[in-house]
Amino acid sequence: MKLLPYIDLFLHYPKHANASILNQFTRQLTTLSSLLPTKPTNLNVLCTKGQLQEALLEMAIQGPEIKFDGYNMLLNECVNKRAAREGQRVHAHMIKTCYLPPVYLSTRLIILYTKCERLGCARHVFDEMRERNVVSWTAMISGYSQRGFASEALHLFVQLLRSDTEPNEYTFATVLSSCTDVSGFELGRQIHSLIFKRNYENHIFVGSSLLDMYAKAGRIHEARGVFECLPERDVVSCTAIISGYAQLGLDEEALELFCRLQREGMSSNYVTYASLLTALSGLAALDHGKQVHSHVLRCELPFYVVLQNSLIDMYSKCGNLNYARKIFNNMPVRTVISWNAMLVGYSKHGKGVEVVKLFKLMREENKVKPDSVTFLAVLSGCSHGGLEDKGLEMFDEMMNGGDGIEAGIEHYGCVIDLLGRAGRVEEAFALIKKMPFEPTAAIWGSLLGACRVHSNTNIGEFVGCRLLEIEPENAGNYVILSNLYASAGRWEDVRNVRELMMEKAVIKEPGRSWIELDQTIHTFYASDRSHPRREEVFLKARELLVKFKESGYVPDQSCVLYDVDEEQKEKILLGHSEKLALAFGLISTPEGVPLRVIKNLRICVDCHNFAKFVSKVYGRRVSIRDKNRFHHVAGGICSCGDYW
């Protein structure tokens, strides 16, 4: 006979039933329990053995005899097993037997409900408490904070400050994780002042939460200040500061700090390595990435999905798609982030066919639903891979709503880029006019680039003027518009654009390129004179210029922003960071070794042509990763099809 229905009947018995009725009902349950093969033993034994259902039966049998120890054991077992339904039975038993739980047991109920994502029930218990201690407040604040209810957590913390209860280090560490948006960050700064006044700043939990808050708000210098002041550091605080640098794109700083902390004896976990791999992805430091991968394997760290996703991303951004795909194929479980990382990798390399194949495989496996990032990667892959019809088909599929994903402005941007790349400039312009979003500078810039390539001066002039209104400080827009006018022979307009640029005092973001050799990253800036081998590099660059001119290379002087003579323009072009990095690669590596260069901005037309001549004259494979994509050059031909 099943006894749980009788337990439920007892728990819902009228609250004010007299003692004789309750005793009579308890005797009935005792009689029913004799039908069990083995009569239940005491609660302690049952809870120790993990026999929660039997323990609940024993609770019902004992009725009002259950006191603090019994409830404590039952609630601990419910918390350990995340057993919300069973916990509610224990809670109901307290109510029906008129047992008033002390602060400790009420707090255990709050913890149980928050762990089982029953925040409403947890808040009801909290509000019903006649007396609360700091643990009760912290448990409720933590429940809100961990489940993304930042405003509720902060509001409750303010109530705590107005009460007679003093927050402790765990309260501060908990509430700081809710100080995320702009208003939350301002409150976080005020909380930091409270922490300082109450001497909690040097506590490891509080310090880790503080530096994490500052790092997520982009205030990395404040985060570093907190980190350096910690009297002791654990893996959480070390990982938080490394992750902060990596998320802000300060990749070299993240790598340097990791190496320093390693020398100081820092222990790392899979989150630390995932954060480090993010930094190495930004640097495209393949040798360092391989070293980290080997270290993870030697340490036999658990291969959590987040770490495998980071490895896929790192190998893809370092130009090694084969390694990335090997890790992807060997994953026992793939999340949508895993699929997206591999799709984005293929897309950035212009492998449109591989993007479509992988997306088809994702559909066939049908284990993970695609999200908006998935479609963005597929559309971008079709654009970079020249798969115009397939990209439009994917966009139509998305617009039909089969996957429940609405097209965002980024998806429209990919389609506009795809149409522009295919020479369908008028269609791209029409799509911008009718899309349900205000076009961004990136979308107008994509169309302007298409107008330059396909010599559409009419639309290009309109788009260029819009861009100069939206982004008057972006030097690239002036250059493209100027080149568009030059291609149409409109020299007066060319001169006007250049003069406008000088009038606005537009400063171009410094170009920076780097190349990794023997696990050392060599960085070059335009006309850089800081590298230890600068004389050799400039000598080699001049030698390359002479040799390439003999092979048909003509410097594209339209890429120079300044109104100077041709000889000076040629000198400026030769000092571009990509050319210096390529020259350094040629003098520092054996013949036939591929060259991998990374650029922080979009590569200019002249440097792109220069790289093709390096490949053609020296028989080297050249790989350049710029702001938008990879350029794989072999035999003087680039994978981008001279469109980027």
Side-chain angles (χ1 to χ4, degrees):
M1 177 182 288
K2 294 183 178 179
L3 296 181
L4 286 179
Y6 291 94
I7 295 173
D8 282 333
L9 180 62
F10 173 72
L11 296 178
H12 293 87
Y13 210 80
K15 184 176 181 181
H16 301 292
N18 61 49
S20 63
I21 295 176
L22 289 173
N23 289 335
Q24 181 184 354
F25 190 66
T26 301
R27 285 195 299 273
Q28 290 174 358
L29 278 175
T30 304
T31 303
L32 286 168
S33 69
S34 65
L35 298 173
L36 285 172
T38 304
K39 190 173 180 178
T41 56
N42 63 66
L43 281 174
N44 189 20
V45 174
L46 291 170
C47 288
T48 303
K49 291 181 177 179
Q51 297 174 332
L52 184 55
Q53 299 298 333
E54 291 80 355
L56 289 172
L57 175 61
E58 180 69 14
M59 174 191 71
I61 292 169
Q62 291 187 26
E65 300 301 318
I66 298 285
K67 300 300 179 188
F68 176 87
D69 289 338
Y71 285 128
N72 186 35
M73 284 185 290
L74 284 163
L75 286 176
N76 284 339
E77 191 62 23
C78 291
V79 169
N80 292 337
K81 292 189 173 182
R82 303 288 199 274
R85 174 68 177 158
E86 289 75 5
Q88 285 178 320
R89 284 177 175 151
V90 176
H91 189 189
H93 191 277
M94 290 180 183
I95 296 169
K96 297 301 180 183
T97 58
C98 299
Y99 177 78
L100 293 177
V103 175
Y104 177 83
L105 287 183
S106 294
T107 303
R108 294 301 290 166
L109 279 169
I110 292 171
I111 292 170
L112 167 69
Y113 285 133
T114 56
K115 285 184 180 292
C116 295
E117 300 189 23
R118 306 286 180 89
L119 289 180
C121 295
R123 185 58 188 262
H124 180 75
V125 173
F126 180 82
D127 290 338
E128 291 290 316
M129 291 176 72
R130 297 181 181 182
E131 182 186 352
R132 303 173 186 131
N133 61 18
V134 67
V135 182
S136 314
W137 286 95
T138 304
M140 195 66 243
I141 291 169
S142 176
Y144 281 131
S145 183
Q146 289 178 6
R147 275 147 192 85
F149 294 94
S151 60
E152 287 85 350
L154 293 171
H155 180 70
L156 198 59
F157 179 74
V158 172
Q159 286 183 251
L160 166 61
L161 295 179
R162 291 170 180 165
S163 72
D164 296 329
T165 307
E166 280 285 312
N168 63 15
E169 63 269 30
Y170 300 104
T171 317
F172 284 121
T174 299
V175 75
L176 284 169
S177 62
S178 294
C179 301
T180 48
D181 57 18
V182 176
S183 58
F185 175 69
E186 289 306 315
L187 185 56
R189 290 173 68 89
Q190 296 175 41
I191 293 171
H192 190 179
S193 298
L194 280 175
I195 290 168
F196 185 78
K197 289 177 183 176
R198 300 184 188 191
N199 295 319
Y200 284 123
E201 191 173 26
N202 292 334
H203 193 283
I204 185 67
F205 297 141
V206 178
S208 296
S209 296
L210 269 174
L211 72 89
D212 188 55
M213 178 195 75
Y214 280 119
K216 286 178 178 175
R219 311 295 284 268
I220 196 66
H221 295 298
E222 287 93 332
R224 184 64 177 266
V226 172
F227 179 77
E228 296 296 349
C229 289
L230 288 175
E232 58 176 309
R233 299 162 185 156
D234 62 1
V235 66
V236 176
S237 56
C238 293
T239 300
I241 190 67
I242 291 168
S243 175
Y245 277 117
Q247 294 301 323
L248 291 172
L250 301 170
D251 304 314
E252 290 182 71
E253 290 85 346
L255 178 57
E256 287 172 9
L257 182 59
F258 175 83
C259 293
R260 189 196 106 186
L261 294 175
Q262 282 283 93
R263 290 192 298 270
E264 293 175 2
M266 174 189 71
S267 60
S268 303
N269 61 17
Y270 74 97
V271 184
T272 318
Y273 286 115
S275 300
L276 177 62
L277 287 167
T278 300
L280 296 177
S281 299
L283 291 170
L286 181 60
D287 293 340
H288 280 91
K290 286 181 177 179
Q291 190 176 11
V292 171
H293 190 182
S294 299
H295 187 72
V296 169
L297 292 171
R298 284 197 304 272
C299 294
E300 297 183 349
L301 281 175
F303 260 80
Y304 294 101
V305 174
V306 64
L307 184 55
Q308 291 174 309
N309 292 344
S310 296
L311 283 167
I312 292 170
D313 184 59
M314 183 274 294
Y315 279 120
S316 296
K317 288 180 178 176
C318 289
N320 199 324
L321 284 174
N322 291 334
Y323 267 70
R325 187 58 188 265
K326 186 177 180 181
I327 292 167
F328 177 83
N329 289 342
N330 290 329
M331 290 178 75
V333 178
R334 302 185 191 114
T335 64
V336 68
I337 297 173
S338 314
W339 288 93
N340 291 347
M342 197 66 243
L343 286 166
V344 169
Y346 280 131
S347 172
K348 290 289 185 183
H349 287 264
K351 304 281 186 181
V353 174
E354 296 300 327
V355 169
V356 173
K357 283 183 182 177
L358 189 62
F359 183 69
K360 184 181 178 183
L361 178 63
M362 184 183 189
R363 288 283 203 208
E364 290 171 352
E365 285 194 5
N366 200 28
K367 293 179 181 177
V368 177
K369 280 186 66 100
D371 61 10
S372 61
V373 178
T374 313
F375 277 98
L376 191 63
V378 174
L379 290 171
S380 177
C382 290
S383 178
H384 288 311
L387 303 179
E388 170 194 347
D389 294 334
K390 191 65 181 177
L392 294 174
E393 179 188 322
M394 289 290 182
F395 186 66
D396 289 339
E397 181 182 327
M398 187 182 183
M399 293 296 286
N400 290 333
D403 293 280
I405 298 166
E406 291 186 12
I409 192 165
E410 298 89 354
H411 302 97
Y412 277 94
C414 281
V415 176
I416 289 161
D417 183 66
L418 184 147
L419 291 170
R421 188 180 298 268
R424 296 160 65 172
V425 176
E426 289 79 7
E427 289 179 59
F429 191 39
L431 182 59
I432 289 177
K433 288 179 179 178
K434 70 179 184 181
M435 71 180 186
F437 304 100
E438 189 67 28
T440 62
I443 288 178
W444 285 123
S446 172
L447 185 58
L448 181 60
C451 291
R452 179 186 64 81
V453 172
H454 299 290
S455 302
N456 192 319
T457 311
N458 293 332
I459 293 177
E461 185 171 20
F462 173 83
V463 173
C465 291
R466 286 287 295 120
L467 270 172
L468 297 188
E469 291 173 12
I470 299 170
E471 283 188 324
E473 75 288 347
N474 188 337
N477 297 330
Y478 293 88
V479 175
I480 297 175
L481 183 57
S482 172
N483 291 346
L484 181 66
Y485 283 139
S487 65
R490 294 169 57 175
W491 304 111
E492 184 65 28
D493 290 319
V494 171
R495 189 160 46 257
N496 290 338
V497 171
R498 298 293 172 102
E499 287 175 359
L500 180 62
M501 183 178 175
M502 299 302 173
E503 181 186 318
K504 298 279 186 182
V506 176
I507 300 173
K508 186 176 180 290
E509 181 183 349
R512 179 168 63 99
S513 299
W514 61 96
I515 184 169
E516 184 188 21
L517 295 175
D518 300 324
Q519 295 188 15
T520 301
I521 296 171
H522 299 266
T523 304
F524 298 89
Y525 292 87
S527 301
D528 190 15
R529 292 282 178 181
S530 62
H531 195 274
R533 299 177 65 183
R534 55 188 174 276
E535 297 303 329
E536 292 178 75
V537 171
F538 275 95
L539 185 64
K540 184 64 177 179
R542 285 191 288 270
E543 177 192 316
L544 293 176
L545 178 62
V546 173
K547 184 176 286 191
F548 292 168
K549 279 184 173 180
E550 293 172 355
S551 300
Y553 166 69
V554 178
D556 190 334
Q557 296 182 357
S558 67
C559 298
V560 179
L561 305 178
Y562 307 103
D563 187 15
V564 293
D565 59 43
E566 291 190 5
E567 185 179 346
Q568 190 63 23
K569 285 182 179 180
E570 195 171 285
K571 186 178 179 181
I572 291 171
L573 287 174
L574 193 60
H576 279 195
S577 61
E578 303 96 305
K579 295 187 179 75
L580 300 181
L582 287 169
F584 177 76
L586 287 171
I587 63 176
S588 304
T589 58
E591 288 185 17
V593 173
L595 301 176
R596 291 188 311 107
V597 173
I598 300 87
K599 175 75 185 286
N600 66 326
L601 306 174
R602 183 159 48 178
I603 188 172
C604 75
V605 174
D606 186 65
C607 287
H608 190 262
N609 292 337
F610 194 88
K612 291 199 289 185
F613 274 91
V614 170
S615 168
K616 184 178 179 181
V617 174
Y618 283 87
R620 302 272 195 125
R621 286 186 173 273
V622 177
S623 172
I624 298 178
R625 192 190 85 185
D626 71 3
K627 188 178 180 180
N628 288 347
R629 60 166 294 158
F630 273 88
H631 300 265
H632 297 289
V633 190
I637 299 172
C638 183
S639 60
C640 73
D642 295 341
Y643 188 108
W644 66 98

